[in-house]
Amino acid sequence: MIEERRTRDRGATRALVLGLLGLWFGIFAPFAIWSGVRSLLRIRTSDGALTGGASAGVGLVTGLVGLAAVVIGIAYWFLAS
C-alpha cells in the first residue's frame, strides 16, 4: 500500500493569521478574505492533494467579521460626530 502525502496549503495558514489579526486591526481583514477565498479554491481544485480547508474557512469568517466591525465602527463614528 502506497501512502500519498498530502500537503497543507500555505494560503490557509496565511488566511487564518490575517483573519485573527483583522479582528484587532481591521486593515488586515480584506487581505484575510482574499487569501481565504483563494486558498479554499486551490484546496477544492486540488483533488485532495492539499489540506487546510478549516483554517482557510476560519480565516475567511474572521476576516469578514473584522471587516464588518470596521465598517460599523466607521459608520458609527460618522453618525455620532
Side-chain angles (χ1 to χ4, degrees):
M1 179 185 276
I2 299 174
E3 183 177 325
E4 187 175 325
R5 184 164 171 89
R6 296 172 58 186
T7 59
R8 182 176 176 84
D9 186 40
R10 293 174 68 191
T13 305
R14 183 182 314 116
L16 179 62
V17 170
L18 288 173
L20 293 174
L21 285 172
L23 290 175
W24 291 100
F25 309 104
I27 192 71
F28 294 111
F31 300 108
I33 295 167
W34 180 73
S35 183
V37 168
R38 284 184 46 119
S39 178
L40 283 173
L41 288 174
R42 274 194 308 270
I43 291 168
R44 287 184 183 163
T45 59
S46 72
D47 293 329
L50 293 175
T51 62
S55 296
V58 170
L60 176 62
V61 169
T62 55
L64 289 170
V65 169
L67 184 63
V70 167
V71 169
I72 290 170
I74 290 172
Y76 178 76
W77 183 66
F78 275 121
L79 293 174
S81 59

